Amino acid sequence: MEAIGVLMACPIMPYLEEELDRRFKLFRFWNFPHKKEFLKEHAHSIRAVVGNAFAGADASLIDALPSLEIVASFSVGLDKVDLVKCKEKGIRVTNTPDVLTEDVADLTIGLILATLRRICESDRYVRSGLWKMGDFKLTTKFSGKTVGIIGLGRIGLAIAKRAEAFGCPISYYSRTKKTDSTYKYFPNVIELASNCNILVVACPLTEETRHIINQQVIDAVGPKGILINIGRGPHVDEPGLVSALLEGRLGGAGLDVFEHEPEVPEQLFGLDNVVLTPHIGSGTVETRTAMADLVLGNLEAHFSNKPLLTPVV
Amino acid sequence: MENQNPVPKVIPKVLVLRPPPVFRFFEPRYLDKFQFLKAWESPIPTEEFLETHAASVAAMLTSGFNRITADILRRLPSLRLIVTTSAGLDHIDLPECRRRGIAVASAGSIFSEDVADAAVGLLLDVLRRVTTADRYVRAGLWPLNGDYPLGTKLGGKRVGIIGLGNIGLEVAKRLEAFGCSISYTSRTKKASVSFPFYQTAIELAANCDILVICCMLTDQTRHMVNKEVLKALGKEGVVINIARGGVIDEKELVRCLVEGEIAGAGLDAYEREPEVPKELFTLDNVVLSPHCAVFTDEWLRNLCELLAANFEAFFSNKPLISPVAI
């Protein structure tokens, strides 16, 4: 398979890069400053694209790769892949579901606890010597608080299972009500936000869910509630979120994703009621390795004419 | 003939040597119920104050930070009740209380959930590097240096709980939902749980990846987590302490962390609070919190109610709400 051209859309992980290099003819897109020239010369040999949450295969890239057969994404979210175009052209698309579900759900709870219990702030308090002057402040209890989840897919359900162990009542919003769920369903996000203490974004990013967290939803969560985003940055009206936090209209936020990663609004840096993590939802050695193995497995399967492991298209 | 004038109610006295953190919320709420004798406000030395003003006092309110020694108890001949705002009892001379027939009431299990939440929060923070990643973002390093180094998965890890009381059980319940397997060591095996039991901390440490300390500080548990236990835990091991600093040999813990003999720690308690070993400040694999696992607004509300309820029960000759068996 060494002759098969694979285009890596952006740097992802050394292990994945090394394996792709070993098994295929790897093109590292970021190493070519003149993309047009690069594509002119090599496009015909590229039969696969490997992308992730930052860069995938949009319409223009797909059009520029006439030999493209498969897009294997190192992520479960596929908002960076033009799925409609892939379907039209018969291009297969795979992602990395299931292997990252637990880690993302774990980080969600980690963000909730860090935000409500001010863990990062209290660590700063100790390291700066402030504890010698006096006790740390009172924080907000997590156990027993109502958790509202937007999107009750694999990740949403895993979050719910963990929150339940803290005695948290669970409610959710989803495109369709889940008939087999005992959690409380709300038919729209505003009602969900008005009736929970902790609002969690856990749905895919699509045209419909872009800015699903808008000003009204933020106001509905309110000064006693917090927002947790482990979905995609564009789920949230980011400038609106920043104003709400600065003005105290929202109680706090735990954010793992942002609209223009790796840029994070600097106004958030001075706030104690936010926790900011650099898109580490699936960021453990174990999970990233499993994700890489899935990407490699899907590519091997495709080029051996075997059934794909985790196809979406 | 019935007495038309109501007998003025005598407001019972409660002695407070030094104000517990909760006192500034408790006092205003219960001013009409209790008369607080505030030893720290007096210019005269405490011993003299007690002899002069506290001879007839039957009840005392204390925090976990005041040492209630036999010496102090000797100056309180009428004392029949100590209510402490802590769950821990290592600050009270319990044998002396037993000898004198002084009852002790603690804050019991009202904050088990808050403390368990803090334990899980610290553990997730250490494994997934939440605080250090937050520092990284705030320092503007994400655009400059790229992705943050990977953390470690919690699911599937073996968690060893030292002390399976109320708090230990709440920690176990939470971590099971994350796919962790639980085992424990305790003074005695608990017949009501099915988690594997180990007689000693060393055996527990040898068979788990994460140690969560949830036990009381006693003569038996002082420095229980020592060099041998940390060695048994190993280079991938993580220690979480939401109990008392004295359970761990702090010097040894610091050495292990600095030299990479264990993988990380989440600490809410230290041997000489608020002193925290400076070597820890340069480490990225340690999360430090200032003994605040308990301090939530719900805890405060519940605690005030519990303290008042214990005093009211005592002064009405009713059973205490949260007595401790001493």
Side-chain angles (χ1 to χ4, degrees):
Chain A
M1 294 199 188
E2 289 83 7
I4 299 173
V6 173
L7 177 69
M8 218 173 157
C10 58
I12 295 176
M13 178 180 185
Y15 165 65
L16 177 61
E17 204 175 307
E18 283 152 21
E19 284 298 310
L20 288 171
D21 208 15
R22 203 169 62 75
R23 304 181 199 199
F24 304 102
K25 180 162 169 48
L26 179 64
F27 296 96
R28 297 169 179 78
F29 209 18
W30 63 96
N31 281 348
F32 297 93
H34 309 291
K35 302 278 189 282
K36 266 210 174 81
E37 278 75 4
F38 161 77
L39 288 168
K40 225 161 141 189
E41 196 181 332
H42 297 286
H44 63 277
S45 66
I46 292 172
R47 293 167 63 188
V49 166
V50 172
N52 68 359
F54 298 103
D58 60 11
S60 67
L61 182 64
I62 293 170
D63 280 333
L65 298 172
S67 308
L68 184 61
E69 297 169 23
I70 178 169
V71 176
S73 191
F74 184 87
S75 67
V76 67
L78 288 169
D79 43 285
K80 287 290 191 326
V81 179
D82 191 328
L83 295 172
V84 171
K85 193 141 199 129
C86 286
K87 201 151 187 194
E88 270 170 26
K89 295 190 135 196
I91 297 169
R92 306 305 307 275
V93 179
T94 66
N95 63 350
T96 58
D98 297 317
V99 293
L100 49 64
T101 300
E102 291 182 353
D103 272 352
V104 176
D106 290 355
L107 183 73
T108 307
I109 305 296
L111 282 173
I112 293 174
L113 283 164
T115 306
L116 286 178
R117 297 300 303 272
R118 305 293 182 104
I119 297 180
C120 310
E121 190 192 346
S122 73
D123 179 275
R124 285 197 287 276
Y125 193 80
V126 175
R127 285 175 201 254
S128 65
L130 282 170
W131 194 14
K132 305 234 182 101
M133 317 290 187
D135 281 336
F136 193 59
K137 60 175 103 168
L138 290 178
T139 58
T140 305
K141 184 171 184 168
F142 172 38
S143 278
K145 292 287 162 54
T146 304
V147 176
I149 306 176
I150 300 175
L152 207 63
R154 285 170 289 243
I155 293 174
L157 280 170
I159 294 168
K161 176 176 155 199
R162 283 150 177 74
E164 281 192 299
F166 293 79
C168 297
I170 309 292
S171 49
Y172 72 102
Y173 162 76
S174 196
R175 272 172 311 181
T176 52
K177 188 172 180 202
K178 311 279 175 190
T179 47
D180 55 351
S181 173
T182 52
Y183 302 140
K184 187 170 165 72
Y185 173 73
F186 284 93
N188 62 69
V189 181
I190 295 233
E191 273 188 64
L192 178 71
S194 308
N195 289 285
C196 70
N197 305 113
I198 301 158
L199 185 63
V200 180
V201 182
C203 60
L205 179 65
T206 63
E207 289 294 325
E208 292 81 39
T209 63
R210 190 177 177 281
H211 282 201
I212 195 171
I213 307 295
N214 56 23
Q215 299 274 37
Q216 293 98 301
V217 173
I218 291 170
D219 284 335
V221 176
K224 295 220 161 77
I226 65 166
L227 173 73
I228 302 293
N229 190 5
I230 50 83
R232 287 285 182 269
H235 276 127
V236 176
D237 164 8
E238 200 163 271
L241 174 68
V242 172
S243 324
L245 285 164
L246 291 172
E247 293 165 24
R249 285 183 286 112
L250 178 64
L255 308 169
D256 188 46
V257 287
F258 305 86
E259 286 210 81
H260 308 286
E261 294 169 19
E263 300 296 330
V264 175
E266 279 185 23
Q267 304 100 306
L268 297 178
F269 292 176
L271 297 179
D272 283 332
N273 57 342
V274 301
V275 177
L276 310 165
T277 52
H279 205 144
I280 55 173
S282 62
T284 65
V285 175
E286 297 92 327
T287 292
R288 292 284 171 87
T289 306
M291 288 164 70
D293 286 339
L294 252 188
V295 168
L296 295 165
N298 274 302
L299 291 175
E300 294 272 341
H302 173 76
F303 292 115
S304 317
N305 286 315
K306 295 211 178 77
L308 296 180
L309 306 177
T310 50
V312 173
V313 173
Chain B
M1 188 149 145
E2 269 189 43
N3 189 349
Q4 302 288 354
N5 300 318
V7 175
K9 194 172 164 209
V10 174
I11 298 179
K13 292 183 194 164
V14 174
L15 173 66
V16 186
L17 294 176
R18 304 246 170 297
V22 70
F23 192 66
R24 70 182 198 277
F25 304 101
F26 185 66
E27 187 192 9
R29 230 176 275 197
Y30 293 99
L31 267 178
D32 57 338
K33 292 255 171 64
F34 312 111
Q35 182 192 346
F36 297 104
L37 278 177
K38 298 185 244 181
W40 77 92
E41 279 189 348
S42 168
I44 62 177
T46 305
E47 294 80 8
E48 216 183 301
F49 178 90
L50 294 182
E51 275 156 15
T52 316
H53 299 286
S56 64
V57 165
M60 172 197 285
L61 173 68
T62 184
S63 74
F65 303 113
N66 275 352
R67 300 213 61 77
I68 309 301
T69 59
D71 194 52
I72 289 181
L73 291 173
R74 207 173 318 121
R75 297 172 202 275
L76 298 167
S78 307
L79 192 68
R80 317 271 314 128
L81 170 68
I82 299 172
V83 177
T84 177
T85 61
S86 59
L89 301 168
D90 50 283
H91 56 299
I92 300 176
D93 188 334
L94 296 176
E96 183 65 13
C97 289
R98 190 163 45 241
R99 196 184 66 74
R100 286 268 309 272
I102 298 171
V104 178
S106 76
S109 61
I110 62 157
F111 50 59
S112 305
E113 292 181 338
D114 286 313
V115 178
D117 290 357
V120 175
L122 282 173
L123 177 57
L124 281 165
D125 198 317
V126 172
L127 289 181
R128 301 299 302 273
R129 305 180 173 229
V130 177
T131 287
T132 51
D134 174 273
R135 262 207 297 273
Y136 186 79
V137 171
R138 283 174 204 255
L141 294 174
W142 194 10
L144 284 179
N145 293 354
D147 281 341
Y148 194 68
L150 299 177
T152 308
K153 190 180 167 85
L154 173 59
K157 290 290 189 295
R158 301 165 301 166
V159 173
I161 300 181
I162 297 182
L164 204 65
N166 289 319
I167 295 173
L169 281 168
E170 294 286 347
V171 171
K173 179 173 121 191
R174 283 152 179 72
L175 289 179
E176 279 196 299
F178 290 80
C180 295
S181 57
I182 310 292
S183 53
Y184 71 105
T185 185
S186 204
R187 271 173 311 182
T188 53
K189 187 167 195 263
K190 314 273 174 190
S192 54
V193 303
S194 56
F195 304 135
F197 170 76
Y198 292 95
Q199 290 279 6
T200 66
I202 287 202
E203 283 176 68
L204 181 70
N207 288 283
C208 70
D209 310 300
I210 297 161
L211 274 180
V212 185
I213 302 171
C214 301
C215 62
M216 303 275 257
L217 177 62
T218 65
D219 288 330
Q220 290 75 42
T221 63
R222 182 171 298 279
H223 279 204
M224 186 163 78
V225 179
N226 57 16
K227 185 176 181 155
E228 285 69 38
V229 170
L230 292 170
K231 187 151 185 232
L233 185 62
K235 285 194 190 298
E236 307 295 313
V238 169
V239 174
I240 303 295
N241 190 7
I242 43 80
R244 286 283 181 276
V247 177
I248 303 184
D249 176 348
E250 192 165 272
K251 223 161 152 182
E252 187 58 33
L253 175 70
V254 172
R255 190 195 67 76
C256 285
L257 286 164
V258 167
E259 295 177 17
E261 295 293 322
I262 64 169
L267 307 172
D268 186 52
Y270 312 84
E271 289 213 70
R272 278 165 290 278
E273 296 169 12
E275 297 292 329
V276 175
K278 301 242 172 346
E279 300 92 316
L280 298 179
F281 292 174
T282 56
L283 298 179
D284 268 353
N285 57 344
V286 174
V287 181
L288 306 167
S289 67
H291 204 141
C292 56
V294 138
F295 293 149
T296 65
D297 22 27
E298 285 82 355
W299 158 82
L300 178 66
R301 202 169 39 243
N302 293 338
L303 179 61
C304 285
E305 283 167 13
L306 182 65
L307 296 175
N310 273 300
F311 284 123
E312 275 164 1
F314 173 73
F315 291 123
S316 318
N317 285 315
K318 296 208 177 84
L320 294 174
I321 314 302
S322 51
V324 177
I326 58 171

